[in-house]
């Protein structure tokens, strides 16, 4: 049988549009495909929730690929080892309390397990705004990253979700939009974005978990975005806190969705 280029094209266009249409209304929408977003997506999808993730870049994985300063190994502390196990990532004990894993293997396993659990991922798509009602976030405003990068004026499209997770890392992009454009204060001490502080790994890893919560009705923060929102420090190339934060936001949302 001779391969037909038009059928190849039609297959891609039809399947993509069915996937996009099927995710216009979800339980949870995650912005950012770093470790926090992927782990959150995995646990929500595993529990049978409808969950979608949007990532601006071509590649999923956020800041994990590059390990520390492009040395492609990451460090994970004891408390998060069970998550490496859950995702099938092999790790090595470096010394008491410090474990390492290959960053490429870790990202690959997080993506594979999350997608196979039922998480739908759209890459090359940027979230440029939220959809709001009186004092509540109810969805996301989407555009192609290529539109954003070209700086051309093309109106976006919209999806609705019961909850949104800002897992955009240091940039806290969704929280920034909400703070600027949605009436009402953030649930931080000042009602504003407190801003990320300089490196303090131990404190940052603990605070990442504490700061993983609902920041505005309908909007949760997870991963580095949680610390940047609440004024926590950065932690560097130790990733246990990111994965634990993804697990925590998933568990909190499962309670909300089932409550
Ligand atoms: O930065 P990122 O990996 O966030 P994370 O899951 O993990 C942080 C660590 O990588 C590291 C650290 C701790 O070890 O400090 O930095 O909290 O992934 C965030 C992803 O969000 C995407 C961005 O391209 C990245 O892949 N992103 C950011 N803004 C948007 C977005 C947006 N507006 N729309 C879509 N994707």
């Amino acid at each position: 049988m001779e391969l037909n280029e038009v059928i190849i094209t039609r297959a891609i266009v039809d399947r993509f549009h069915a996937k996009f249409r099927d995710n216009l209304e979800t339980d949870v929408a995650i912005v950012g495909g770093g470790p926090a977003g992927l782990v959150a997506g995995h646990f929500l999808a595993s529990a049978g929730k409808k969950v979608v993730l949007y990532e601006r870049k071509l590649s999923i994985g956020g800041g994990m690929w590059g390990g520390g300063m492009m040395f492609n190994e990451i460090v994970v502390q004891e408390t998060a080892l069970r998550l490496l196990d859950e995702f099938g990532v092999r790790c090595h004990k470096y010394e008491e309390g410090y474990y390492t894993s290959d960053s490429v293997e870790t990202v690959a396993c997080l993506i594979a397990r999350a997608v196979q659990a039922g998480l739908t991922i759209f890459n090359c798509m940027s979230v440029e705004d939220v959809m709001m009602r009186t004092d509540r976030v109810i969805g996301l405003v989407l555009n192609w990253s290529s539109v954003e990068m070209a700086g051309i004026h093309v109106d976006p499209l919209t999806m609705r979700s019961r909850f949104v997770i800002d897992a955009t890392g240091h940039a806290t992009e969704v929280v920034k939009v909400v703070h600027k454009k949605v009436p009402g204060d953030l649930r931080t001490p000042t009602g504003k974005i407190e801003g990320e502080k300089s490196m303090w790994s131990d404190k940052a890893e603990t605070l990442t978990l504490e700061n993983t919560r609902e920041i505005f009705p309908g909007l949760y923060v997870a991963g580095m975005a949680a610390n940047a929102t609440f004024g926590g420090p950065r932690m560097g190339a130790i990733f246990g806190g990111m994965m634990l934060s993804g697990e925590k936001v998933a568990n909190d949302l499962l309670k909300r969705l089932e409550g």
Side-chain angles (χ1 to χ4, degrees):
M1 189 187 76
E2 193 183 332
L3 287 172
N4 180 327
E5 293 84 350
V6 173
I7 297 177
I8 295 171
T9 303
R10 184 153 39 79
I12 290 170
V13 171
D14 283 350
R15 290 299 304 144
F16 178 83
H17 282 105
K19 191 162 62 174
F20 189 63
R21 207 172 46 230
D22 188 45
N23 282 280
L24 291 178
E25 289 180 290
T26 63
D27 292 317
V28 181
I30 302 169
V31 189
L38 285 170
V39 171
H42 166 81
F43 284 112
L44 287 160
S46 300
K49 299 302 165 200
K50 193 166 182 58
V51 50
V52 64
L53 185 154
Y54 302 99
E55 166 55 52
R56 168 181 286 136
K57 293 186 184 152
L58 180 59
S59 65
I60 310 300
M64 201 182 234
W65 291 107
M69 219 176 97
M70 289 200 268
F71 299 167
N72 65 358
E73 289 281 322
I74 58 165
V75 170
V76 173
Q77 62 273 52
E78 193 108 34
T79 46
L81 279 188
R82 62 184 175 76
L83 287 176
L84 289 185
D85 211 36
E86 165 103 23
F87 284 90
V89 180
R90 297 168 300 170
C91 72
H92 308 272
K93 185 170 182 171
Y94 181 68
E95 60 178 69
E96 204 55 45
Y98 296 82
Y99 296 80
T100 60
S101 64
D102 180 286
S103 64
V104 175
E105 176 179 344
T106 313
V107 175
C109 289
L110 294 188
I111 298 170
R113 297 285 162 118
V115 170
Q116 285 171 356
L119 172 69
T120 303
I121 297 181
F122 290 101
N123 56 343
C124 304
M125 232 179 250
S126 292
V127 170
E128 62 169 56
D129 205 342
V130 296
M131 179 157 63
M132 62 169 251
R133 291 295 181 267
T134 313
D135 295 342
R136 188 182 164 81
V137 171
I138 61 158
L140 295 172
V141 177
L142 310 167
N143 218 328
W144 292 116
S145 302
S146 49
V147 167
E148 183 184 65
M149 289 162 75
I152 50 180
H153 185 170
V154 178
D155 266 317
L157 292 175
T158 310
M159 62 83 60
R160 180 188 286 264
S161 190
R162 291 173 69 189
F163 293 99
V164 167
I165 303 174
D166 183 338
T168 62
H170 297 268
T172 60
E173 292 201 18
V174 185
V175 177
K176 276 185 187 146
V177 164
V178 169
H179 181 46
K180 191 169 156 205
K181 296 172 74 174
V182 182
D185 284 342
L186 301 177
R187 293 176 181 163
T188 58
T190 62
K192 301 180 168 58
I193 297 169
E194 305 295 339
E196 179 187 307
K197 303 292 181 292
S198 290
M199 183 87 81
W200 187 350
S201 301
D202 190 62
K203 195 167 177 184
E205 287 290 282
T206 314
L207 281 176
T208 306
L209 267 192
E210 279 175 32
N211 293 335
T212 298
R213 51 190 142 118
E214 195 173 25
I215 180 75
F216 193 86
L219 174 65
Y220 280 70
V221 273
M224 198 56 220
N227 269 6
T229 300
F230 282 99
R234 65 190 305 186
M235 71 289 293
I238 180 159
F239 280 81
M242 296 301 114
M243 293 190 285
L244 290 165
S245 168
E247 180 189 45
K248 182 181 178 205
V249 74
N251 286 336
D252 288 356
L253 279 171
L254 287 175
K255 285 189 204 121
R256 292 290 297 277
L257 289 164
E258 276 148 27

